[in-house]
Amino acid sequence: MRKFSTRDLTLAAMIAALYALLSCFSGIFGLAYGPLQFRFSEALCVLPFLFPAATPGLFVGCVIANLLSPYGPLDIVVGSLATLIAALWTSRMKRWYLAWVPPVVCNAVMVGFTIAFAETGATAALPAAWIYNGSTVGVGELGVCLVLGSLLLRLMPQIKFFHDFIPEGRLHAA
């Protein structure tokens, strides 16, 4: 496991702050929480493909954003873990154009469950609610990560400023 440099910690902190800010911005439009989510901050979830140091920043930013969640402690824990697992998985992806898959899958399954459980509890309605909420969360996540996230992955390596942050093997993979 590689050590995080001061630069890595700074990048992680900036991503955490940006994730929380963009989630609040999405919340203004009613898009941050609920069955149909379109959190602009989720576009950042593809960044571990380029910047492994983005992983802790995404997790911390998601914890902060989920403190405002109407689904309470369950969303703070499960929703934030979904982001952490997705970020770790994304950092291990081999192709940039597949970096959207982990956040979509993790959020559809884990956040879909969180919302379904909050709505139905441990009742017979839970599986149907989970499928419904997982599908709607997944569609919103797909829109953000595939469209906005892919745009980030294509543009950031072209900006010279980011070259120092992107590991050599990833700079040309994107």
Side-chain angles (χ1 to χ4, degrees):
M1 181 168 219
R2 83 179 185 88
K3 288 186 177 183
F4 271 39
S5 67
T6 303
R7 178 182 293 175
D8 291 336
L9 291 173
T10 303
L11 179 65
M14 290 185 331
I15 289 173
L18 186 58
Y19 185 101
L21 178 70
L22 288 172
S23 292
C24 289
F25 182 71
S26 297
I28 292 170
F29 301 102
L31 299 172
Y33 308 99
L36 184 56
Q37 298 183 12
F38 197 85
R39 278 189 189 188
F40 303 115
S41 54
E42 287 294 305
L44 302 175
C45 288
V46 300
L47 290 182
F49 177 83
L50 293 175
F51 315 108
T55 299
L58 290 168
F59 175 67
V60 170
C62 189
V63 169
I64 293 167
N66 286 346
L67 290 173
L68 301 174
S69 172
Y71 302 106
L74 186 62
D75 196 24
I76 295 168
V77 173
V78 177
S80 301
L81 280 176
T83 297
L84 178 61
I85 293 166
L88 290 168
W89 184 9
T90 301
S91 72
R92 289 167 177 77
M93 297 300 286
K94 299 293 183 206
R95 304 279 184 255
W96 73 268
Y97 52 83
L98 295 176
W100 60 269
V101 172
V104 171
V105 171
C106 290
N107 280 285
V109 172
M110 297 174 74
V111 175
F113 171 81
T114 300
I115 296 170
F117 187 81
E119 291 174 346
T120 66
T123 65
L126 180 61
W130 189 358
I131 290 169
Y132 171 76
N133 287 298
S135 298
T136 58
V137 167
V139 166
E141 191 76 10
L142 180 65
V144 174
C145 289
L146 186 58
V147 176
L148 299 178
S150 293
L151 189 61
L152 279 175
L153 289 179
R154 297 306 295 157
L155 293 177
M156 290 184 90
Q158 295 176 18
I159 301 169
K160 188 164 178 58
F161 173 80
F162 292 111
H163 288 189
D164 290 339
F165 294 96
I166 302 172
E168 184 59 37
R170 292 296 179 146
L171 183 60
H172 302 292

